[in-house]
Amino acid sequence: MLSEAVVNVKGIGDKFAEELAGMGVHSIEDLLLYFPNRYDVFEVRPLSELIHEDKVTIEGRVLNAPSLSFYGKKKSRLMFNVEVENVVVRAVMFNRAFAKKQLQIGDTVTLTGKWDAHRLQITVSNYKKGPAESQATIQPIYSVKGNVSNVKLKKAIQTAIQNYGEHVTELLPSDYLTSYKLPTRINAIKSMHFPSNRQALKHARRRFTYEEFLLFQLKVQLLRKLKREATQGNAQLFQAQKVKDFINDFPFRLTGAQERSLQQILADLKSPFRMNRLLQGDVGSGKTAVAAIALYASITANKQGALMVPTEILAEQHFQSLKELFGDRAKIVLLTGSVKGKKRKEILSAIQNNEVQIVVGTHALIQDDVFFHDLGFVIVDEQHRFGVEQRRTLREKGLQPDVLFMTATPIPRTLAITAFGDMDVSVIDQMPAGRKEIETYWTKANTFDRILQFIEKRIQAGEQAYVICPLIEESDKLDIQDAVELYHQLVEYYDSSIQVGLMHGRLHAEEKDQVMQQFARNEVQVLVSTTVVEVGVNVPNATIMVIYDAERFGLSQLHQLRGRVGRGDKQSYCILIADPKGEVGKERMKIMTETNNGFELAEQDLKLRGPGDFFGKKQSGMPEFKVADMVHDYRALETARNDAQFILSQNLLEEDPTYHELKVHMENEGIYTKKLD
Ligand code: ADP
Ligand code: MG
């Protein structure tokens, strides 16, 4: 019934139906669920509570005969005074000359319009003779297109509710309605369109918020379940004792959070299902260490492992730290774009002949001519920097290998629930002991001399500094010019006492490498750089991070940059040079100075920017909810997630008839027939 075309609704003709189609409304159900995008509330409030320039409603008595004046071609202005709470308020109405005759001295009128608190004047957009309703009236406002007006749409919806309302089926089992105190689906639909009062609207919104979240959570969790069951992976029977020995040889003890994440990953390796897990942890929280142990476990099960990272510098660094950790426990090779010719051939053949157990590399890893003997475990670092295709290509170099993604971009809990609904998530939310909090300062540009002096002092104490150069344009070219200029300034300022290095994206891989090596060996003390140092670079002796034009970076990126320091046991500093114009910009700088916790920062960023902006438009893939708001309604989202977990773990969709409608909904969404990749 409800799936029939809207044209079947009385009063909707072909033309109207076509216009509705342009608004995404095709079926009768679409129409019933086409909710207003906002509501105007008309409610008389005391004059003293009215806010300047707000839309307000007042009730008063007409004091004088309206005076009418004409101007322009056909324009008119009607003015009169009304008495409200013993105060004289002036009312102005444009282009409603006809109202002059309707308004008599002594009449009670209800006026709605824009309030000018200074002049005690209301510019009327709506008026009604007589007193205001005792309760607030709520006017739904729809987002409409073309010739569809609010009035016309409302009428169509009303007819649809009258004639088809009885066919709206309840999706939620009735004990959910009782225990959460939610209205039935049809009552909630009615209240969304024609709320009798605020309370009714609030309940209706609560119902659809929950419904949307529950359906979404059921969908992603069901998909994940089906996927896991459909993708036979390898049960990697690693040698636990060897893994223990490996960990015992580390120069440090794992943190509780590392230990917990590691156990989750090892359990995935052992299970016959394929691992599809995200390891989240702030910069420096020790993800690489966990990844190394997992790689080692996989090797003891006679598999090969691959670690793919987005940049050459990062590949080099991971390669070095893995080699250190592994010693002669495994043969590890580096495969990047700059490995060419004979060297590359040798490496490729070693990988294919199983003479190599671990390959660290960039995109070079996923070239067509790279073949593994038996790739069992794939790790992708900074996974958001790779496309879906690239990740798939790497995966397909093995036979259903286990896959672990790593990211240092903390995803707010709110988004993690939704964005990674189809992945398992492990979180390292604890820093290794002994780390000092980075002190962060925010300053305007004119203190640059003082900053340089401060850097000099720290360098005399044996430490090092990064200076991230100003960001003028998106284009690399301009970045470089600035970096070069800043570099020369610093060289001049410090003359020969301090070595300054320069790093930017246009340098050749070998040059970059050389600069990084010099910085790592403290032959260079100040590194001027564009944001290429953003990810992963590890020079524990560097203690100062200066960031120019900090207001141009997102909070997450600033946090990433800041994470380049504070990696050793010395006190580190981050200095943000920024002159943000708006309040939001100032707020962001303040947040940076107040917290070192990436997750907290991400939550704040989300609040400031909203979920759509958080991931950037390109790869947002965030679900669109009609009523629900992921940030604001976070508690409901958590509840829905837990309920979905319970429903699926108890197999209620299949086995409990009260869940039948939910099951039908999932079927209609095509969950059970979806191609799983
Ligand atoms: P991430 O990859 O999360 O940025 P790393 O694994 O590179 O972090 O670790 C950052 C630094 O901390 C490295 O120098 C590493 O050796 C060290 N580290 C990792 N785990 C611990 C730990 N549990 N205790 C002390 N130091 C650790
Ligand atoms: Mg790392």
Side-chain angles (χ1 to χ4, degrees), residues 252-255 258 281-289 318 432-433 435 538 567:
F252 47 76
R253 300 213 13 222
L254 296 183
T255 62
Q258 281 174 312
D282 223 334
V283 275
S285 62
K287 293 182 297 298
T288 312
H318 276 303
R435 292 278 168 81
N538 189 21
R567 299 176 80 82

Side-chain angles (χ1 to χ4, degrees), residues 176-217:
Y176 282 56
L177 300 185
T178 320
S179 63
Y180 294 141
K181 297 196 173 61
L182 299 174
T184 61
R185 198 155 200 257
I186 180 61
N187 282 339
I189 288 178
K190 286 178 184 164
S191 293
M192 288 299 287
H193 294 292
F194 306 100
S196 52
N197 55 49
R198 281 181 205 231
Q199 200 61 10
L201 178 57
K202 202 171 127 193
H203 282 309
R205 295 186 60 96
R206 267 185 55 232
R207 150 140 201 149
F208 279 108
T209 297
Y210 178 75
E211 178 184 312
E212 283 185 330
F213 283 155
L214 183 69
L215 293 178
F216 175 72
Q217 284 295 323

Side-chain angles (χ1 to χ4, degrees), residues 18 25 81 88 94 107 162 178 223 228 305 376 433 468 508 565 588 614 632 644:
E18 208 171 288
V25 175
N81 291 334
V88 177
F94 290 99
D107 280 353
Q162 266 160 15
T178 320
L223 267 177
R228 192 184 299 144
I468 304 301
H508 291 297
V565 298
R588 290 168 62 231
F614 192 83
H632 185 254

Side-chain angles (χ1 to χ4, degrees), residues 31-43 55-57 112 126 136-143 150 154 157 161 187-209 626-628:
L31 183 65
L32 292 175
L33 298 179
Y34 194 84
F35 296 143
N37 66 342
R38 64 184 179 86
Y39 299 84
D40 273 348
V41 180
F42 302 110
E43 182 181 34
K55 189 167 184 180
V56 304
T57 299
T112 297
N126 230 304
T137 50
I138 304 174
Q139 264 319 329
I141 309 290
Y142 295 89
S143 132
N150 257 285
K154 244 166 91 172
I157 290 171
I161 290 177
N187 282 339
I189 288 178
K190 286 178 184 164
S191 293
M192 288 299 287
H193 294 292
F194 306 100
S196 52
N197 55 49
R198 281 181 205 231
Q199 200 61 10
L201 178 57
K202 202 171 127 193
H203 282 309
R205 295 186 60 96
R206 267 185 55 232
R207 150 140 201 149
F208 279 108
T209 297
K626 283 187 193 165
V627 179

Side-chain angles (χ1 to χ4, degrees), residues 200-421:
L201 178 57
K202 202 171 127 193
H203 282 309
R205 295 186 60 96
R206 267 185 55 232
R207 150 140 201 149
F208 279 108
T209 297
Y210 178 75
E211 178 184 312
E212 283 185 330
F213 283 155
L214 183 69
L215 293 178
F216 175 72
Q217 284 295 323
L218 276 176
K219 213 160 94 180
V220 289
Q221 290 188 30
L222 187 55
L223 267 177
R224 176 166 61 181
K225 186 171 173 220
L226 295 173
K227 199 158 145 184
R228 192 184 299 144
E229 288 165 3
T231 50
Q232 280 299 318
N234 305 291
Q236 301 199 37
L237 303 175
F238 56 86
Q239 303 176 36
Q241 189 53 48
K242 278 191 170 178
V243 175
K244 263 193 203 135
D245 293 343
F246 183 49
I247 298 172
N248 284 336
D249 279 357
F250 276 24
F252 47 76
R253 300 213 13 222
L254 296 183
T255 62
Q258 281 174 312
E259 185 66 45
R260 181 165 29 89
S261 301
L262 178 66
Q263 290 314 325
Q264 290 165 346
I265 293 166
L266 292 181
D268 283 357
L269 281 178
K270 217 182 326 185
S271 95
F273 301 128
R274 200 177 69 198
M275 179 192 318
N276 181 35
R277 182 173 290 277
L278 178 75
L279 177 60
Q280 258 197 299
D282 223 334
V283 275
S285 62
K287 293 182 297 298
T288 312
V290 171
I293 300 165
L295 277 169
Y296 181 65
S298 178
I299 290 172
T300 68
N302 294 319
K303 296 281 182 184
Q304 289 175 299
L307 170 59
M308 183 161 74
V309 301
T311 65
E312 297 224 351
I313 296 176
L314 209 49
E316 172 74 33
Q317 218 164 71
H318 276 303
F319 176 61
Q320 293 302 346
S321 46
L322 287 185
K323 274 211 312 207
E324 249 165 63
L325 285 173
F326 275 86
D328 52 12
R329 280 188 166 91
K331 177 105 174 82
I332 307 176
V333 292
L334 178 67
L335 187 60
T336 63
S338 43
V339 178
K340 294 195 182 95
K342 186 153 163 271
K343 181 93 193 287
R344 182 173 142 88
K345 267 210 183 115
E346 278 169 20
I347 288 182
L348 292 188
S349 112
I351 296 173
Q352 192 166 9
N353 297 327
N354 206 20
E355 290 152 21
V356 158
Q357 283 84 52
I358 298 176
V359 189
V360 180
T362 54
H363 298 84
L365 272 180
I366 51 175
Q367 302 308 308
D368 287 342
D369 58 352
V370 181
F371 297 100
F372 286 81
H373 173 75
D374 185 3
L375 178 62
F377 190 23
V378 165
I379 303 181
V380 181
D381 195 12
E382 295 304 328
Q383 48 93 23
H384 58 279
R385 299 215 165 195
F386 294 99
V388 175
E389 272 311 308
Q390 292 172 318
R391 293 184 241 162
R392 193 200 318 263
T393 311
L394 178 58
R395 214 169 59 212
E396 285 173 354
K397 298 213 174 268
L399 257 180
Q400 304 290 13
D402 286 309
V403 184
L404 178 69
F405 299 105
M406 299 202 292
T407 181
T409 308
I411 311 296
R413 287 186 312 152
T414 327
L415 294 189
I417 287 187
T418 44
F420 304 118

Side-chain angles (χ1 to χ4, degrees), residues 313 503-505 507-517:
I313 296 176
M503 172 77 133
H504 57 68
L507 295 180
H508 291 297
E510 303 94 73
E511 294 172 299
K512 274 189 211 163
D513 197 44
Q514 204 183 350
V515 179
M516 271 328 292
Q517 296 293 351

